[in-house]
Amino acid sequence: MNSELMEALTLLEREKKISRETILEAIRQSLIQACKNNWKTEADNVVVNIDPETCEYEVYAMKTVVEQVEDELAQISLVNAKMVDSRYELGDVVRVNIKSREFGRIATQNAKNVILQKIREEERRVLFDEYRMKEHDVVTGVVQRYFGKNVSINLGRADATLSGEEQMKGEVYRPNQRLKVYVLEVKDTPKGPRIQVSRTHPELVKRLFEEEVTEVHDGIVEIRGIAREAGSRTKIAVWSNNPDVDPVGACVGVNGSRVNAVVDELHGEKIDIINWDENPALLIENALSPAKVITVLADPDEKTAKVVVPDYQLSLAIGKEGQNARLAARLTGFKIDIKNETQARESGDLLEYEEDYYDDYGDDYSEEGIWPEEGAYADDGIWPEKAPYEDDSTWPEDGAYEGDDAWPEDGAEDGVWPEQEPYEGDGTWPEENEEDAPEPSADSQDSASGEDGEE
């Protein structure tokens, strides 16, 4: 009997992950309950000792010596006590062994039920603890069957439910198909743990990259943001904590081996991997990949951004049914307004950007002798070269016009030079590439201003 019990305990421990101590405690409680049922009493004087190594056990009751017995399990007559040991007197406590084999059928059945109930409770607790640790992680399961719109997924020791809302669009699940799913939630119920899984959650992509990319798993490369439309396209922004590691290259792998493994698991879902940047404008520009961007004006406070793209890139930037722009907005957290170059110039958005850009970088352009773009001013479309005016090659000088340091004045775009007195007392303008040019006549002055094209 003891060998059979030990074998059963070993089997339960291996298959159900239930510890031997837990089962032995269940047996101990069942024997105590069987004694109470056999003698129909609620006395708490029954003691059960079980050796965990050999599974040897003994059951006995601590009975009080009385003259007249009212409770057979709790009391013993003085005559019977004297038969055990003649030294016992009234009021003494006698240890009396109980033969569990003599229990009636009902008491035995109740003991069995107590053991089974304890095993079921412990098995349910072990399963709940096991899968609760896997919550918000990826597990591999096997498709069992459809019930309604839901799919039953066997995870090994428990079944999970893949609801219709959590299924990828266009996916068809076949029985015995192996599938990786993201564990959304694990709840404890009287019938066992109820596990909800997903194939559409953005974290599924992140966990798959952690499995495929060592740098992501080790924390060298971080996935800072994910925007996903399950079954169609996903954008992820990555950042490297090691300057010698390219985050995008690490996630793509040699010949795309790493990202292709994730794409295959997601059944062909496209994945765009971009570099994360703390600068919102640069992050938005990266997020709109593969479209090329001319400029981004981002407002971090309002979480809005104006983006200008070349005319031929507008449809690519927006994407099919607005998908590319929508995913970029989710990834960055900005509301993005995309315009092509023509629309931006007409609305003034591009002009606003150019003014800000020239204010920030104007000195760099003036040092190169190119200011502003060719054809913007002057009849020949060429801006004066360096050092034609003033020794320091700076153009224009602070305060050259009306003290507002602005260049050029209104009307310059039409090729008309303001009739002000920047350098000469008579308001004339030096000829091109001549620092000490002779004072021009009125006719030559008109020619330089663009009103007459002849010398």
Side-chain angles (χ1 to χ4, degrees), residues 278-281 284 297-305 333-334:
E278 298 295 340
N279 186 327
I284 292 170
L297 294 175
D299 186 344
D301 296 330
E302 297 294 332
K303 288 293 183 178
T304 60
F334 278 70

Side-chain angles (χ1 to χ4, degrees), residues 105-165:
R105 182 180 61 82
I106 295 178
T108 304
Q109 184 65 35
N110 289 340
K112 176 183 176 182
N113 292 338
V114 170
I115 296 175
L116 293 178
Q117 179 65 22
K118 185 63 177 179
I119 291 175
R120 282 193 293 266
E121 290 177 357
E122 188 64 19
E123 182 182 8
R124 186 167 61 245
R125 186 192 65 80
V126 169
L127 281 176
F128 174 73
D129 291 342
E130 177 182 345
Y131 285 99
R132 185 178 58 178
M133 294 179 62
K134 296 180 180 180
E135 198 172 43
H136 309 309
D137 204 350
V138 170
V139 295
T140 301
V142 178
V143 176
Q144 296 292 313
R145 60 187 176 85
Y146 274 92
F147 56 100
K149 293 183 179 180
N150 302 330
V151 180
S152 176
I153 308 290
N154 182 264
L155 302 182
R157 300 185 60 216
D159 288 342
T161 301
L162 179 63
S163 64
E165 294 79 9

Side-chain angles (χ1 to χ4, degrees), residues 182-200:
Y182 179 77
V183 181
L184 282 176
E185 185 181 39
V186 180
K187 289 185 177 180
D188 191 14
T189 68
K191 295 183 178 180
R194 188 177 69 183
I195 307 171
Q196 297 288 337
V197 296
S198 172
R199 285 280 292 173
T200 62

Side-chain angles (χ1 to χ4, degrees), residues 75-346:
Q75 298 171 342
I76 187 172
S77 66
L78 181 59
V79 175
N80 291 335
K82 292 287 185 180
M83 294 175 62
V84 175
D85 193 323
S86 60
R87 291 174 296 178
Y88 284 124
E89 299 294 339
L90 292 174
D92 291 343
V93 177
V94 181
R95 173 174 169 174
V96 180
N97 290 328
I98 299 175
K99 297 180 180 180
S100 58
R101 293 178 182 272
E102 297 177 357
F103 289 165
R105 182 180 61 82
I106 295 178
T108 304
Q109 184 65 35
N110 289 340
K112 176 183 176 182
N113 292 338
V114 170
I115 296 175
L116 293 178
Q117 179 65 22
K118 185 63 177 179
I119 291 175
R120 282 193 293 266
E121 290 177 357
E122 188 64 19
E123 182 182 8
R124 186 167 61 245
R125 186 192 65 80
V126 169
L127 281 176
F128 174 73
D129 291 342
E130 177 182 345
Y131 285 99
R132 185 178 58 178
M133 294 179 62
K134 296 180 180 180
E135 198 172 43
H136 309 309
D137 204 350
V138 170
V139 295
T140 301
V142 178
V143 176
Q144 296 292 313
R145 60 187 176 85
Y146 274 92
F147 56 100
K149 293 183 179 180
N150 302 330
V151 180
S152 176
I153 308 290
N154 182 264
L155 302 182
R157 300 185 60 216
D159 288 342
T161 301
L162 179 63
S163 64
E165 294 79 9
E166 300 298 335
Q167 298 174 20
M168 287 174 56
K169 184 179 180 181
E171 271 194 337
V172 178
Y173 306 105
R174 301 180 303 276
N176 300 322
Q177 175 187 356
R178 296 185 65 83
L179 202 65
K180 289 188 176 181
V181 292
Y182 179 77
V183 181
L184 282 176
E185 185 181 39
V186 180
K187 289 185 177 180
D188 191 14
T189 68
K191 295 183 178 180
R194 188 177 69 183
I195 307 171
Q196 297 288 337
V197 296
S198 172
R199 285 280 292 173
T200 62
H201 201 282
E203 284 292 314
L204 174 62
V205 180
K206 182 178 181 179
R207 299 301 182 189
L208 291 176
F209 270 101
E210 288 178 353
E211 291 181 358
E212 295 293 335
V213 183
T214 306
E215 292 82 354
V216 176
H217 181 272
D218 295 341
I220 299 174
V221 174
E222 295 181 20
I223 298 179
R224 293 285 185 89
I226 300 178
R228 185 184 185 203
E229 291 189 357
S232 179
R233 196 179 201 93
T234 294
K235 286 181 179 286
I236 67 172
V238 294
W239 171 268
S240 175
N241 293 314
N242 186 339
D244 296 329
V245 176
D246 175 22
V248 175
C251 292
V252 172
V254 179
N255 297 325
S257 58
R258 290 175 168 179
V259 70
N260 285 340
V262 178
V263 169
D264 291 343
E265 179 59 38
L266 298 177
H267 296 167
E269 182 176 317
K270 295 181 176 64
I271 299 178
D272 296 336
I273 306 174
I274 67 166
N275 281 306
W276 172 272
D277 202 296
E278 298 295 340
N279 186 327
L282 294 178
L283 178 60
I284 292 170
E285 180 178 348
N286 294 341
L288 288 172
S289 174
K292 304 299 181 183
V293 175
I294 295 178
T295 178
V296 178
L297 294 175
D299 186 344
D301 296 330
E302 297 294 332
K303 288 293 183 178
T304 60
K306 296 179 180 179
V307 179
V308 180
V309 299
D311 292 353
Y312 67 94
Q313 291 276 294
L314 181 61
S315 60
L316 183 61
I318 295 175
K320 184 179 180 181
E321 298 179 354
Q323 184 185 68
N324 193 59
R326 187 165 57 249
L327 289 176
R330 291 181 190 172
L331 184 65
T332 61
F334 278 70
K335 182 179 180 181
I336 302 175
D337 179 20
I338 303 177
K339 294 181 179 179
N340 60 25
E341 187 175 2
T342 302
Q343 292 172 334
R345 290 191 182 278
E346 291 175 353

